[in-house]
Structures are given as C-alpha cells and as structure tokens.
Amino acid sequence: MRIHPLLPCLALGCATVPHPAPSDASTRLKELSERYWDLNLQSAPLDWIGEQSGGPLVATSLGDHRFDDRLDDLSSAGRAKFLDALVGMEAEAKAIPDDELHGEDRLTKALFLDLLDSTREIQVCDADRWTVDQMNGPEVNLPLTAMYYPMTAKGVADLVARYGQVGRYFDQQIASLREGLAKGEVAPKHNVELTIAELDDLAKKDGAHSDFLPPPDKLAKLPEGERAADVARIAAAIDTTVVPALKKYRAFLHDVILPKARTDPGLWALPNGAACYAAAIRMQVGLRKTPEVLHQLGLELLAKIEAEQRAIAKAEGAPLKPDGTPDLKAFEKAIGQRPDESFKTGDELLAWARKTIARSMAALPRDFKTMPQRPLEVKAVEAWRAATAGAAFYQQAPDDGLTPAYYYVNTSDPTTRTLYDQECTVFHESVPGHHLQISIAQSLQGLPAFRRNGGSTGYVEGWALYTERLSDELGLYSGPLARYGMLAGQALRAVRLVVDTGLHAMHWSRQQALDFYLAHTTDPPDVGASEIDRYIVWPAQALGYMVGEQEIFALRAEAKRKLGAAFDIREFHDVILGHGALPLPVLEDEVHRWIASKLPASAAR
C-alpha cells in the first residue's frame, strides 16, 4: 500500500525536531540554508568525484519540480559563479553569532560550514575536467530523470525542454575534458571503455524505444486522448537532440580521450593526486585519516572477520586445508553449487527480496521506536545499466509522493546470485539499513533540506553496515549459511579499506587490486571487476562503510558501559537517526550529550 509522504507522521509517529521560538540568528540561518539549497538544486555544476553534488537532475529526483525544464551550466564560468556564491554564503554563516543559536540550529550552522569547507577542499581534485564515470555520469543520470516527472502537460513540456538542452550539456562536458587534457588530467582507460559501451547501448535505440522515455507505468498516467501525441513529442526530442549528443560524446571519448587515458587507475597518478585523495577521504569518511592507517585497519579487521567465517565453515563441515583450517574458498564454491542456494529466474529473486523485506519490517519494533517514513517497493534494475550496476541498491523516494523508494535488484543473471549472501544485502539496502535511515531523515520536520537529503558516506553507509550485524542480533538471518554470508559482507568492507587505499595511495594496479579482492571475498570475477572499477571512479567512498560501522558500535559500547541498566537500544537508535546524517565527529558529540542527559548530575560531571 502506498502512503502519502505526510501520512506516516499520523500513522507511525513521525520524528520531529523541537525548536524554541526563533531568534534573529535562527531566522538568518534558516533563510541562508534555504537559499543554499535553492542554489544547489538550481545549478551545482561540480563533480565531487563519483557523485553529483546537486543540480536540476538531483532536484527532479528529490521531487522538487521547479527546475525540471533545465540542465546545469557545466562551463568553467558556471562553476566559478557557483563557487563564488558559496564563498559569500560561508561569510554570512560565520557572521551569525554562535551564542544566539541553540539545539538543532547550532548543529545546522556547524554542518553548513563543514559542508562548504569540504566542497572547497575537494576542488583540488579538479574532477570536472577528467572524470568519465560509468556509474554516475550524465549518460546514467539523464535516462533516469524521466522516471520522476509528473505526467501532466507541464511535465511533458519540461522533459522536452530538458532534453532540448542535452546537446549543450554534453558540449560543455566535452569542453571540460579538453581542459583537463591540456593540464595532464585524464580518466582511467577502463572506465572510459565502460562508459563508451553504455553510450553505444543508449544511442542505438530510436526515440520511440529509448531508455530516455518515461517508463510505461508513468506514460499510462497521461490522458488517453493526448498520450500518443505527448509520447511522440518526447521521442522527437530524443531523436533530434539526445541521440546526436550521445553519439558526439561517444566519438569524443573514443577518438580523443581513450588514446590518452591513463593506465594507472589511482589518484596518485594525477597532478595533486595525494591532496585529492586526502580531500576525498575527509569528504566521504568525515574524518582525517591517512591512507596508511586505513589500509592497516582493513587488514586487521579482515583477519578477525575471516576467523569468524572459519568457525562457521568448520561447524558446517567445510573441507580442510593441509594445516587443518577450513578452506573458505572450497566451502563457498560448494555452497554456490547447491540447488537450494540459487535463484532460477529474475522473478524468483524479486519475490524472495519482497518476502525478506517484509520479515525485517516485522522485527523493527524490537530495536526501534521510529518506523520508516516512506513506502518501499522492489524493482528490477533496468536492462540498459544492468551490466555496470551492482547486485542490489537503494534509491530514496522523492518528496512529491509520486514515486516510492526502490530496492533495486539486478536480475540480469539471477543464477549467479546465491541465497546465502543476499540476505545481508537486503537488510543493508532496505530495513533496518538505508531505507529506515534515509526515510526518517527525509521526514525530520524542522531541519533544513540540506540536512534531510544529504550526509557523509561514513554515516550513511556506516549505519547500513552496522545494521547487517544488528540484523543478526534481531535473529533475522535464516541460518548459519546466511550468517556466513553476513560475515562475507563484513569481510568485503574490510577489503575495501585495503583495496581503495592500495589503488589511490600505494600505486596498486587494477589487477593487483582485483587479485586481493577475489582472494578475500565470495564474489565471482566479473562482480569483483565491477567493484574495482567502482573504487577507481569513486575514490574513498568505499572507505566509509567499515569506518562508520566501527564508530557506531564503539559509541554503543560506550553508552552501555556508562548507562548500565538504563541503556535502551531503542533510545540509542533514535539518537543516531534523529538528526539526519551527521559527520562522525558530530555524531559522537550528540551521543555523548545523550549519555550525559541520562546520567545523574554528579556522574555526568
């Protein structure tokens, strides 16, 4: 059953943020936050390496339809104008007196300044001038935009107008990449090849059959008498503007970028590569950790997790190696060959995912006071992006009530998906993972939009990984093999600490990274290769998972130690989830405040 975004506040107890009577400082901060968010959605022509920071495409996906008829200005002048505006906003924020702000306003100012500072710092990467991204590039985000449009006369007109600007949009993308070439900045070769393959798939279809058309369920909402004409208008815009732009971009990548693309995939191979990676770590993880520290942490955690895996494998009769320890690779291979551990069809995989989510939803009240605030549906990954998409992922709901949140499942080759390692993915991506956290954040009444719709990877992915272990505490795993799969997921995130730092700071080759990955995960070679290509194009993002999980568990352990019998995990989770996605140092401060509020005054001192 679909629920309007406002109704969960009545039905489930929406998380609200209390505010005292606004002061002049509070009013100024609120106005500044709103102005920043409008600017960020109207035009944010910056690449944060691997993800869009904002812009009209993001606005549409969030359900804000004010800018549906436009695309970003990706020119150098457009980027400079945006950055200049941020400098002015930073000065305004600093001028607001701290002692006149309280509660969430105090947090909002700190988070706003941290966001602007990290945005400025990441510019050392110059990412707009060399990034060619098979995961989040324009050739991926543009076809997805059609799924979010309201199918009204205005919605159709806006979509046609947006598509009419695609030629200019890709021309500016090409100009940026030319600027990068002139400065010795260029994308990794294999990622360019993957992007060219995506462009080939998109450009071979005419407008009437294009992936740029809104999906059939959306088109069905058009008035029947106008539907054919409206679809023809969209298809004509695709044929006359979109497809030629795709072909032009493809030719540029193939003829100009590919011959000069770098074979060393890590950031270290770029001018300012070390500074870029440090800025990416700060932005994604929320902490200033060196690559060497993170690399060593990954190795240490991996050893502990693999010991847990060996204990389950031994109990389940795994073959033994000559030294008497369980052979994990042989064990995983044997599991993968069991008929009861595989899926035969994509429909079977989708149905299983729906049942698993329902089981998890039923268990939530044991550890949570606040329930998910948005509807969630299971959907198959579109065929045109299945080759470069992961096994499953989450896409949050926009605020307009027209589209639910989706748990996307890649059904392109269901026989390669083994049951034992899929349960933890469901819990991570849906509930109690991403869907619970993000839908609560979206519904935090009183917080500015940039806090409800954003957040560092260290928090967002750290929370989702934490819930994979939490799901074990809730008894959600179906048996020892599913628990082994959960541990395999934990090992994967420890591997990411080793591989990401290896690639971007320690001069690892793509093959070296892939070899290490395959030696310590359950993934087949094709999935492993896709993962490595993700880390190459999205530096430091993969680090946030395990660092964030470790931080949340450490805070929970501290709270239990200090509060004793007064510790309530449901209250703890409300503190973690009740302020939106916070940088890890700020999250630590908030948990400490909560602990102090629960202790007698003498103990708090």
Side-chain angles (χ1 to χ4, degrees):
M1 178 179 68
R2 288 206 49 195
I3 304 174
H4 188 279
L6 296 180
L7 294 185
C9 298
L10 302 175
L12 300 172
C14 190
T16 59
V17 180
H19 276 270
S23 64
D24 176 64
S26 176
T27 300
R28 288 163 59 192
L29 182 64
K30 180 177 184 293
E31 186 274 336
L32 178 60
S33 297
E34 291 173 350
R35 190 153 33 92
Y36 162 77
W37 190 245
D38 282 352
L39 172 70
N40 190 61
L41 296 185
Q42 184 173 353
S43 181
L46 304 178
D47 193 311
W48 284 5
I49 314 182
E51 56 189 308
Q52 285 183 290
S53 58
L57 290 172
V58 171
T60 301
S61 72
L62 293 175
D64 187 330
H65 298 292
R66 290 176 294 165
F67 315 114
D68 282 358
D69 61 344
R70 67 187 76 172
L71 286 170
D72 267 318
D73 176 3
L74 300 181
S75 67
S76 294
R79 289 195 293 270
K81 181 179 179 182
F82 181 77
L83 288 169
D84 286 345
L86 295 189
V87 170
M89 289 181 175
E90 183 178 35
E92 289 185 62
K94 288 180 176 178
I96 298 174
D98 289 336
D99 58 3
E100 296 181 20
L101 297 174
H102 306 283
E104 293 297 332
D105 285 339
R106 171 184 51 80
L107 272 180
T108 293
K109 178 181 173 180
L111 296 177
F112 184 63
L113 289 174
D114 181 76
L115 174 61
L116 297 186
D117 188 58
S118 61
T119 300
R120 179 176 55 251
E121 187 174 335
I122 201 70
Q123 299 312 307
V124 70
C125 296
D126 208 24
D128 308 278
R129 292 176 174 84
W130 57 264
T131 298
V132 178
D133 184 353
Q134 79 280 0
M135 290 183 59
N136 290 291
E139 79 286 348
V140 174
N141 290 322
L142 271 169
L144 291 177
T145 196
M147 76 185 327
Y148 297 111
Y149 275 75
M151 286 295 98
T152 61
K154 183 178 186 304
V156 171
D158 285 345
L159 182 58
V160 170
R162 174 170 286 178
Y163 283 166
Q165 298 169 56
V166 169
R168 184 265 303 167
Y169 191 67
F170 275 107
D171 283 346
Q172 291 177 333
Q173 181 86 354
I174 289 169
S176 292
L177 294 175
R178 287 191 188 277
E179 291 173 10
L181 277 179
K183 299 168 65 176
E185 300 170 344
V186 67
K189 180 179 181 180
H190 190 62
N191 297 90
V192 177
E193 292 172 337
L194 292 171
T195 302
I196 289 171
E198 287 178 336
L199 291 163
D200 284 338
D201 285 342
L202 290 167
K204 68 185 179 184
K205 299 177 183 177
D206 64 17
H209 305 90
S210 175
D211 295 300
F212 285 81
L213 280 175
D217 60 323
K218 281 278 189 179
L219 294 176
K221 296 177 182 179
L222 287 166
E224 188 172 353
E226 303 168 14
R227 189 177 306 152
D230 285 339
V231 172
R233 285 179 64 201
I234 300 171
I238 295 169
D239 283 330
T240 58
T241 306
V242 175
V243 172
L246 293 175
K247 291 179 177 179
K248 183 177 181 179
Y249 184 49
R250 190 264 184 210
F252 171 75
L253 292 182
H254 182 271
D255 299 341
V256 179
I257 296 295
L258 189 59
K260 298 182 180 180
R262 53 190 163 96
T263 54
D264 294 316
L267 287 180
W268 64 266
L270 286 170
N272 296 322
C276 175
Y277 194 40
I281 291 173
R282 182 265 177 102
M283 174 166 279
Q284 296 288 354
V285 178
L287 300 170
R288 294 190 185 277
K289 298 277 189 181
T290 68
E292 292 75 18
V293 166
L294 293 168
H295 192 88
Q296 185 60 34
L297 176 64
L299 291 171
E300 293 171 359
L301 291 172
L302 182 60
K304 294 177 182 178
I305 295 165
E306 288 182 338
E308 293 183 80
Q309 287 181 286
R310 284 192 290 271
I312 292 179
K314 183 176 181 181
E316 292 297 307
L320 300 180
K321 296 191 289 188
D323 63 0
T325 60
D327 186 332
L328 297 185
K329 285 298 178 184
F331 179 60
E332 293 158 7
K333 182 178 180 181
I335 299 173
Q337 293 174 343
R338 287 172 46 167
D340 62 335
E341 284 291 329
S342 64
F343 298 93
K344 297 179 178 61
T345 67
D347 287 342
E348 182 184 355
L349 180 53
L350 292 169
W352 173 86
R354 293 185 181 101
K355 290 179 181 178
T356 305
I357 290 172
R359 183 159 52 86
S360 182
M361 285 286 292
L364 286 184
R366 288 171 48 191
D367 275 8
F368 296 92
K369 290 183 176 181
T370 308
M371 296 295 104
Q373 308 290 298
R374 295 287 191 273
L376 175 67
E377 294 181 8
V378 176
K379 185 174 184 177
V381 174
E382 296 86 356
W384 61 267
R385 61 170 173 159
T388 57
F393 54 91
Y394 175 72
Q395 189 158 307
Q396 71 186 58
D399 278 341
D400 60 6
L402 300 175
T403 307
Y406 287 119
Y407 174 62
Y408 267 107
V409 181
N410 196 333
T411 59
S412 60
D413 192 358
T415 60
T416 64
R417 312 293 183 207
T418 46
L419 178 63
Y420 80 94
D421 61 359
Q422 291 295 300
E423 286 188 23
C424 66
T425 302
V426 174
F427 303 142
H428 177 109
E429 300 291 345
S430 63
V431 290
H434 283 322
H435 181 59
L436 177 64
Q437 180 262 309
I438 291 173
S439 69
I440 289 175
Q442 288 177 301
S443 298
L444 287 171
Q445 306 301 312
L447 291 190
F450 83 88
R451 288 184 58 186
R452 291 187 293 106
N453 292 289
S456 73
T457 301
Y459 175 96
V460 175
E461 295 295 355
W463 169 261
L465 186 59
Y466 163 81
T467 64
E468 292 185 26
R469 291 271 193 183
L470 182 69
S471 296
D472 193 23
E473 298 172 10
L474 286 168
L476 288 175
Y477 292 104
S478 57
L481 294 184
R483 289 195 67 253
Y484 183 90
M486 178 270 293
L487 291 171
Q490 295 283 314
L492 165 62
R493 278 40 170 254
V495 165
R496 285 175 171 174
L497 291 175
V498 178
V499 168
D500 196 283
T501 53
L503 282 165
H504 294 296
M506 300 173 183
H507 297 208
W508 281 22
S509 67
R510 180 177 181 272
Q511 189 60 51
Q512 186 178 357
L514 180 57
D515 289 344
F516 187 91
Y517 184 98
L518 294 177
H520 295 280
T521 71
T522 61
D523 287 339
D526 60 330
V527 174
S530 178
E531 283 286 305
I532 297 303
D533 293 330
R534 164 186 166 175
Y535 311 149
I536 291 170
V537 81
W538 207 352
Q541 191 271 347
L543 303 174
Y545 295 72
M546 187 57 79
V547 175
E549 182 207 59
Q550 294 294 299
E551 179 70 8
I552 294 171
F553 270 119
L555 291 172
R556 193 175 93 172
E558 180 183 358
K560 291 179 72 174
R561 183 177 69 254
K562 291 182 176 179
L563 296 179
F567 176 79
D568 183 339
I569 195 168
R570 298 168 79 235
E571 286 186 24
F572 173 78
H573 287 153
D574 259 7
V575 173
I576 297 292
L577 299 175
H579 303 279
L582 300 176
L584 295 179
V586 180
L587 179 67
E588 181 180 10
D589 290 342
E590 291 306 304
V591 172
H592 287 166
R593 286 189 181 88
W594 171 70
I595 293 172
S597 73
K598 301 280 289 183
L599 290 171
S602 58
R605 289 196 298 269

